[in-house]
Amino acid sequence: MKYVLVTGGVVSGLGKGVTASSIGVVLKACGLRVTSIKIDPYLNTDAGTMSPFEHGEVFVLDDGGEVDLDLGNYERFLDVTLTRDNNITTGKIYQSVLEKERRGDYLGKTVQVVPHITDAIKNWIEAVSVVPVDGKEGPADVCVIELGGTVGDIESMPFIEALRQLFFSVGQDNFCLIHVSLVPVIGVVGEQCVFVCVCAHARVQKTKPTQHSVRELRALGLTPHLLACRSAQPLLENTKQKLSQFCHVPAGNILNIHDVPNIWHIPLLLRNQNAHDVILKQLDLHGVAAPPHLQEWTKRAETFDNLTNSVRIAMVGKYVGLTDSYLSVVKALLHACIACSLKPSVDWIAASDLEDESAKLTPEAHAAAWETLRNAACVLVPGGFGDRGIKGMILAAKYARENKVPYLGICLGMQISVIEFARSVVGLEKANSTEFDDQTPNPVVIFMPEGSRTHMGSTMRLGCRRTLFQTPDCVTAKLYHNSEYVDERHRHRYEVNPELIGILEEAGLKFVGKDESGKRMEILELPGHPFYVGVQFHPEFKSRPGRPSAPFLGLILSATGQLEAYLNQHQNGSL
């Protein structure tokens, strides 16, 4: 197995995940099979119990793994299906070592970070790297490993040491280290400000942070083969030369990942700087690799750059303060919009700003939220947990239903639409979810019997589950190409109460998708509405560039008046 390790320095949030994904894209374009591993040094076993404000969205895999959002980037960029084992955390490593210690596997030895923790890390990497993730048999050619955090963090030290040992054991021709760093531009300060008008170096690219970062990495036993330098503008030649001199990296191996119009340009940026040649040479793969074919990526990047028309989408959620909380939803909207030759214009609305209480406490925010909602072409209510903002989401669902505005509710968003319909149409004024009111006399959404009320981690209904369409004559089935069923990923503890389905359907709401038992509601539609759809699953996790998720595509098509024509064309076999 050949390994490409991507580390980061100076600051976090440099885009190591996109860089690692893009490296994988370029290598895959050379005809190589690629797999990925993300290392997160935090003590959590997985990302499942972490707040979206703390760490962005929790990405869910087919096997139910709740993982870092970077694995979503890997899946979207490389078009692979990863497993929970492709995300390594300190919690997982220590848990596995302590379980062995309790069983007596270490035969009475003193269990230490070195060698036991480091050996566990190495063994995990070597075992996971040979598991195929692209649907083909046999191991991949290259495993791209991203080490989270920044070099020098105390929590990542065992991983650095394990990776150093891995480098030593597999040999020079099987290991390539790429260090992502920041090259900031800093203006003059203090007394020098007087000379701004005549100083040629008023704003220069600073290499010192990268120098220190590389020095730290080298002190830990790892020397980068390539530098991937993040900057606002392209690197100057003298900046490259300075980095080369002080970081002991050839100038030709210093890559510049400057700001671009969209992230689909990153693989092209790497290709244009011959990053693949350097990596292939280091890994001794020139004999089996071909020149990279990135025509599809080029077309995709250029298509997006040239789009002029846009569609306004109201995103009514709980975690709008950090857009990474809904990263996969945003990407799914992007994929759907590009399929319709549009740019997405997402209007973020904090659900609590729509509530009546907000009109009294923050009237300006309340007025602005409602104006934004009314100006949107469609409404999307994504998933979430807890009762904050629920009243605002219900008001958004009611607005969309009554005003015939296209609506998509995902997970919690579907449950919200059921609560609103039960209150406003069926007449159950106190209808609610037991998540928000465990004493409600009309529990239209209930806790699932197999869930745990005492443990939070990995106790939800997780992973890929099958949904059976109850009728082919529904919008969602047609969007899924008239399939009898669909396999989508789930992450929820609550479900629509099966005992109340009868009265809800009598009032007009139709549950057109159910699980294999027929008792769990998966998809709802409202006949007579242009597009009013709720799904219990998370379709955003399987959306791909060039293969948009069906519910998202339906939302955008309806918002732009193209849905009926699309369905007719598809029905006639034209698409």
Side-chain angles (χ1 to χ4, degrees), residues 294-329:
L294 288 167
Q295 290 86 346
E296 185 179 344
W297 276 89
T298 303
K299 181 180 179 182
R300 188 175 294 134
E302 292 177 349
T303 296
F304 181 78
D305 289 344
N306 294 326
L307 292 175
T308 55
N309 296 326
S310 63
V311 56
R312 295 189 66 173
I313 306 152
M315 181 90 81
V316 183
K318 295 165 63 71
Y319 317 116
V320 297
L322 179 65
T323 56
D324 273 1
S325 300
Y326 302 112
L327 183 62
S328 291
V329 174

Side-chain angles (χ1 to χ4, degrees), residues 472-492:
D473 189 28
C474 63
V475 172
T476 318
K478 294 174 183 177
L479 287 167
Y480 276 106
H481 308 296
N482 298 310
S483 298
E484 294 181 359
Y485 63 87
V486 62
D487 296 322
E488 293 281 10
R489 298 174 183 177
H490 294 69
R491 185 176 185 250
H492 63 110

